[in-house]
Amino acid sequence: MKLIRFGPAGQEKQGVLDDAGTLRDLSGALDGTAAYLSDAYMAQIAALDLAALPAVPADTRVGACVTGVGNFIAIGLNYADHAAEAGMDIPAEPILFNKAPSCIVGPNDDVRIPPGSEKTDWEVELAVVIGKTGSYIAEADAMDHVAGFCVCNDVSEREYQLERGGTWTKGKGSPTFGPLGPWLVTRDEVDTADLAMTLSVNGDTVQNGSTSTMIFKVPHLVSYVSHFMELQAGDVITTGTPPGVGMGLKPQRYLKPGDEMVLEIAGLGVQRQTAVATP
């Protein structure tokens, strides 16, 4: 299934795509007894006659595909070819850092460049959405805790991240730095072994990679993160990016107001964002 949240920012409702690609309004169809994103919640949706649900107008805003995100965890240098691009060694263990949940926006919302920023960058990433709470999860059980997957743009301010001291988190959580969606695709429909990933800026393809070059795979990451914090339904783990970020280009290239980004991961949909100056 492909789950979508739609409507004005802060007032989104839950929707689902039917087999014909029509967005259907789920907000009045679920009985509320199943925990959000649990297997029981997904089973309720699967049992519905989607064609009988109200269709959502095609021009309706699409919001982030998940709500109630407590932990927004990112994995650094998790693609071998991106580590080579950055001139950094492949890590012995996953590198973890936080993105602020407050940075989450819809897949087509504007990305705001922080005031005075000259190094705002892009990163197309596969994000994992947790569906079941767990701590110290065994790798063999990790996928039982996953609700599904979505596209993430891990927008990054490189000066804040790398030149201001401390942790990478400084460059990762500015407002609008976490577009998620358009869809949350349930785990039964996604094989993460070799998903094509692309990102273009103003029509120029700068990232063209695959999840096949991930160093640490999804089950390992879910298990690993759960040893440092409790993962809860709605938490997001975004799993790293392939080469082609602005910092790695020669010459380096960063976002300017008016730049348009288009991101796509095979089977997970397309994002489109315009970079704008922060008012």
Side-chain angles (χ1 to χ4, degrees), residues 184-201:
L184 188 164
V185 184
T186 52
R187 68 177 187 267
D188 59 302
E189 295 188 3
V190 183
D191 180 351
T192 63
D194 186 13
L195 296 175
M197 313 168 69
T198 61
L199 185 148
S200 66
V201 180

Side-chain angles (χ1 to χ4, degrees), residues 69 112 146 159 167 230 234:
V69 180
R112 301 206 306 264
V146 172
E159 178 192 355
T167 70
E230 182 178 78

Side-chain angles (χ1 to χ4, degrees), residues 75 77-79 81-83 85 122-125 154 158 197 207 213 239-243 245:
I75 311 298
L77 294 178
N78 194 35
Y79 282 66
D81 39 7
H82 175 53
E85 168 188 59
W122 55 80
E123 295 188 11
V124 59
E125 303 201 1
D154 177 17
R158 301 302 188 187
M197 313 168 69
Q207 291 192 272
T213 66
T239 59
T241 197
V245 300

Side-chain angles (χ1 to χ4, degrees), residues 253-270:
R253 175 181 177 184
Y254 295 107
L255 292 170
K256 304 295 183 187
D259 285 346
E260 294 182 343
M261 292 174 283
V262 178
L263 297 72
E264 183 172 9
I265 298 179
L268 300 184
V270 177

Side-chain angles (χ1 to χ4, degrees), residues 3 22 44 47 49 64 78 84 90 97 100 128 145 156 169 188 194 216 252 261 271:
L3 304 183
T22 299
Q44 276 193 26
D49 177 5
N78 194 35
I90 291 176
F97 57 88
V128 181
H145 291 261
S156 308
T169 296
D188 59 302
D194 186 13
F216 303 106
Q252 292 180 338
M261 292 174 283
Q271 297 186 355

